[in-house]
């Protein structure tokens, strides 16, 4: 099945389905494989200003309807640029994080000319000094976004759902010059082992992804669509063509898929794609935001 390319937030994608950050996005080879398996674009694991080992384990708990993680942003930092050299002009979006606007600008600069765009991770729910401590603060979101957007690369901003008013954060990203909003990162959560009488994760708290958070993600996209004029990329628990259609009706013009790839395998892209474009014969241009009004 051949699909038409779509341009969203300054990035041209092969179709509307992207690999979400954090899943399979750690090497050039795995990113290429996901593209070959039908993803319209891929987002890398988040890269930060210094190499990082991440949190002590256990870092992942597989739940019936989702995944709880506290990886702690492990990444090789600048060395990751080597993974991108073979990817040419493929639709690869590099996820980046930093502790302040200067660090965001520094990391972003490493990838100039090497990636189709950047996704600012302002939203990890459990990384001290990074992520959500920035992403809940509209002023910091605006400053970090501006520090990157002024470098001239497409700048997507991934938001946390762990706020009272996500529209205030979306508007801050818009003021900072973002080219698209990605909604949402994981929901802050925890489980306790009743046998051990201790939290399941080494870090105690983590982020919940997967089917359990799909309704939260739909609500966030719906609210952002009413408040912002940027393109929105829906993310959170999408595992079927019907989920993609629902996200688009809420206002998303593309989607990112993560936990479903982890739970099943990378064939989910081909399966959802065939179902979406062939069986359901969907024309996204007709349904985006149609649940409003
Ligand atoms: O749930 C998450 N886990 N979100 C992030 O942004 C980062 C990741 C991690 O590395 O812990």
């Amino acid at each position: 099945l051949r699909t038409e390319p779509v341009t969203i937030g300054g990035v041209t994608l092969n179709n509307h389905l992207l690999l979400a950050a954090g899943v399979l996005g750690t090497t050039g080879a795995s990113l290429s494989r996901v593209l070959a398996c039908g993803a319209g674009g891929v987002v890398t694991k988040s890269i930060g200003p210094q190499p990082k080992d991440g949190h002590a384990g256990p870092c992942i708990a597989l739940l019936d309807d989702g995944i709880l993680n506290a990886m702690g942003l492990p990444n090789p930092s600048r060395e990751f640029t080597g993974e991108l050299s073979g990817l040419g002009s493929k639709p690869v979006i590099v996820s980046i994080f930093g502790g302040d606007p200067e660090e965001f600008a520094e990391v972003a600069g490493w990838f100039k000319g090497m990636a189709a765009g950047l996704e600012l991770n302002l939203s990890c729910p459990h990384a001290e000094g990074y992520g959500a401590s920035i992403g809940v603060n509209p002023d910091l979101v605006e400053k970090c976004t501006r520090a990157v957007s002024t470098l001239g690369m497409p700048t997507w901003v991934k938001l946390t759902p762990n706020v009272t008013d996500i529209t205030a954060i979306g508007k801050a990203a818009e003021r900072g010059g973002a080219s698209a909003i990605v909604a949402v990162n994981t929901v802050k959560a925890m489980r306790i082992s009743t046998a051990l009488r201790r939290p399941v994760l080494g870090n105690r708290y983590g982020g919940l992804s997967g089917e359990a958070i799909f309704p939260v993600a739909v609500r966030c996209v719906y609210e952002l669509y009413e408040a912002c004029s940027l393109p929105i990329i829906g993310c959170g628990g999408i595992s079927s063509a019907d989920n993609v259609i629902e996200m688009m009706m809420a206002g998303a013009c593309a989607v990112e898929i993560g936990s479903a790839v982890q739970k099943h395998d990378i064939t989910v892209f081909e399966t959802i794609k065939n179902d979406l474009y062939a069986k359901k014969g969907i024309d996204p241009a007709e349904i985006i935001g149609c649940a409003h009004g």
Side-chain angles (χ1 to χ4, degrees), residues 45 69-74 121 124-126 185-186:
K45 174 75 186 156
N69 92 86
M71 304 304 295
L73 295 166
N121 182 353
C124 178
H126 50 256
N185 206 316
T186 49

Side-chain angles (χ1 to χ4, degrees), residues 11-31:
V11 180
T12 301
L13 307 167
N14 298 328
N15 59 61
H16 299 85
L17 315 176
L18 293 116
L19 176 75
V23 179
L24 293 181
T26 51
T27 67
S30 58
L31 293 165

Side-chain angles (χ1 to χ4, degrees), residues 1-3 14-17 35-40 240-241 244 257 267-282:
L1 175 75
R2 287 184 70 82
T3 44
N14 298 328
N15 59 61
H16 299 85
L17 315 176
L35 287 167
C37 285
S240 68
V244 177
I257 303 176
T267 61
V268 293
F269 286 103
E270 207 62 47
T271 307
I272 296 180
K273 205 169 75 157
N274 288 337
D275 211 15
L276 184 66
Y277 301 112
K279 215 154 79 198
K280 304 219 184 254
I282 270 295

